[in-house]
Amino acid sequence: MSQLSLFSAEARPPSPADLAGLLCGPGQIVRFGAGDQARLSIELPDPARAAAVVAACAATGIAMRAVRTDSGATALRTAFRCDLVTLAAAWTEGGAKAVPRGWQLDGAALRLWALAAGRPDERGGYLLELDPDSPGTHDALIAAATRAGIPPARVEERAALRISGARRVRRLVELVGPAPERITGTDWPRYWGRNAS
């Protein structure tokens, strides 16, 4: 039996700080009015993931609901909430999305990132979508993933990070934990054909 990593998704109870994983991908967070409330939203690359992402966010104590965008895409968003202000302050700089300096990517945030914007690359690796509208976050996320033990390659043509190689994929599987309910094992990070367990 493998030992549970201190950074794995199952190492501690879910918390609102885990929602940073949505901001690693195409998620957005904005403050409202005097800045004492904030709203988190994300347009999902795969609408079929909506129920699983909503459930994962609910486990952190933050409710999200699905909405249809003007372009017909599926997005999730919270209400404006006081308990998201800390996350908004950490992840914005001058009104733009920014990764906090020295931020530590752990399994809980990585799990939400993979859930909302991850997919296998059909070459034994795993892709984590980045925010194409926030290119300033990309280098910082590469650095954070590297510190977490999963140094990625940048996929320029589609604003994504690729985790590949047996050791890195094994570490990714260890960090994200088993596939959530409503997600097929083939969509979740796998090591040598096995789901995380």
Side-chain angles (χ1 to χ4, degrees):
M1 176 183 282
S2 62
Q3 185 176 2
L4 183 66
S5 167
L6 292 175
F7 298 102
S8 76
E10 300 163 311
R12 59 171 174 75
S15 81
D18 301 343
L19 299 176
L22 300 181
L23 297 171
C24 294
Q28 301 293 323
I29 194 159
V30 295
R31 293 171 81 169
F32 177 72
D36 57 350
Q37 295 185 352
R39 167 182 277 170
L40 177 63
S41 62
I42 184 168
E43 188 171 309
L44 296 177
D46 180 1
R49 304 266 184 108
V53 177
V54 166
C57 293
T60 72
I62 305 294
M64 296 192 90
R65 65 182 182 92
V67 296
R68 182 76 61 185
T69 67
D70 292 339
S71 65
T74 298
L76 302 177
R77 70 178 178 205
T78 68
F80 281 101
R81 301 174 58 113
C82 296
D83 53 1
L84 289 175
V85 170
T86 300
L87 186 66
W91 278 81
T92 54
E93 188 174 296
K97 185 163 75 169
V99 179
R101 192 179 311 276
W103 179 69
Q104 179 67 53
L105 176 62
D106 63 11
L110 185 59
R111 183 175 175 86
L112 267 171
W113 188 2
L115 181 57
R119 63 180 176 80
D121 70 355
E122 300 176 359
R123 298 190 326 196
Y126 200 77
L127 294 176
L128 295 164
E129 303 281 341
L130 296 166
D131 186 345
D133 298 323
S134 300
T137 63
H138 299 180
D139 286 343
L141 289 169
I142 289 171
T146 300
R147 287 192 299 271
I150 50 170
R154 189 192 312 247
V155 182
E156 297 287 355
E157 64 270 16
R158 60 173 300 122
L161 301 182
R162 174 181 285 120
I163 311 300
S164 61
R167 184 182 307 166
R168 293 170 186 163
V169 172
R170 185 177 201 171
R171 173 70 172 155
L172 175 65
V173 168
E174 173 188 274
L175 288 170
V176 299
E181 290 182 25
R182 306 182 181 97
I183 298 295
T184 67
T186 56
D187 288 337
W188 198 243
R190 293 156 48 101
Y191 175 64
W192 288 347
R194 293 183 305 228
N195 293 331
S197 57

